[in-house]
Amino acid sequence: GAVVSQHPSWVICKSGTSVKIECRSLDFQATTMFWYRQFPKQSLMLMATSNEGSKATYEQGVEKDKFLINHASLTLSTLTVTSAHPEDSSFYICSAPRTSEGEQFFGPGTRLTVL
Amino acid sequence: GENVEQHPSTLSVQEGDSAVIKCTYSDSASNYFPWYKQELGKRPQLIIDIRSNVGEKKDQRIAVTLNKTAKHFSLHITETQPEDSAVYFCAAILSGGYQKVTFGTGTKLQVIP
């Protein structure tokens, strides 16, 4: 199956700093990647769709200036949480489809803790 | 946009019994319905999926049924085992163009030995 990696797997930062999370498709090219946020005991909520070579599409209620997404290559998308606050602490997961059939391949997730 | 509802939110069964989780979706254009198992702190793991041109699919102890007319689909786990304990999510996707996944709210399944 297709492999998607994320880095880092966990990060602790101080309030007000920025954190960058990387999502890589290791053995396939992904023109589209999705970023989700998952709070404890809740479902995965789509934050944005990352499109290679163009601007990301953000879901309603997600601040595009706070959650910066860059999809500079066919194998890498990055999510930067700017001016992080404790309420941004969450589990961030990316996914990418390898084909148009719909099946998603998920990264292992990044646990962000903002102090 | 798509909206997926999932019930129940928690489910406890005795080992060996069956478990059923139900989902409904709103967008009749959705045509791909995966089920994921997620353990704490881990990524969702695809356990079974079904496409809109199929009414039922089975893989050993796991089966999924789809009723397109009613826009609902269900996960059936038979002969449950303690290792089946996890959170299960249904999802609905409009495939054919890298469409996003809309997840259900999740069901925490506990299998009691």
Side-chain angles (χ1 to χ4, degrees), chain A residues 73-114:
Chain A
S73 77
L74 288 171
T75 59
L76 174 64
S77 175
T78 61
L79 168 68
T80 301
V81 183
T82 63
S83 187
H85 291 286
E87 56 265 32
D88 298 323
S89 299
S90 187
F91 193 50
Y92 292 85
I93 306 178
C94 66
S95 76
R98 186 175 58 179
T99 70
S100 61
E101 295 297 307
E103 185 176 1
Q104 299 288 318
F105 295 92
F106 290 88
T110 297
R111 172 73 59 192
L112 170 63
T113 301
V114 185

Side-chain angles (χ1 to χ4, degrees), chain B residues 17-82:
Chain B
D17 288 349
S18 295
V20 180
I21 303 172
K22 299 181 179 181
C23 287
T24 60
Y25 60 99
S26 61
D27 189 348
S28 57
S30 291
N31 56 7
Y32 174 59
F33 306 94
W35 284 90
Y36 298 97
K37 176 183 180 182
Q38 188 182 30
E39 297 178 347
L40 191 63
K42 302 268 181 85
R43 77 186 88 191
Q45 178 187 5
L46 177 68
I47 56 172
I48 196 167
D49 56 13
I50 192 167
R51 299 194 182 272
S52 58
N53 59 348
V54 176
E56 183 174 355
K57 183 177 178 180
K58 187 174 181 180
D59 182 4
Q60 299 184 334
R61 298 186 297 109
I62 297 174
V64 56
T65 59
L66 171 65
N67 183 325
K68 282 194 302 182
T69 302
K71 290 189 284 189
H72 65 69
F73 55 113
S74 301
L75 176 70
H76 304 253
I77 305 175
T78 59
E79 301 173 25
T80 54
Q81 302 168 1

Side-chain angles (χ1 to χ4, degrees), chain A residues 57-74:
Chain A
T57 304
Y58 290 82
E59 295 299 300
Q60 191 173 8
V62 177
E63 299 174 59
K64 60 181 66 178
D65 294 331
K66 179 172 181 61
F67 298 99
L68 302 179
I69 292 173
N70 184 275
H71 196 148
S73 77
L74 288 171

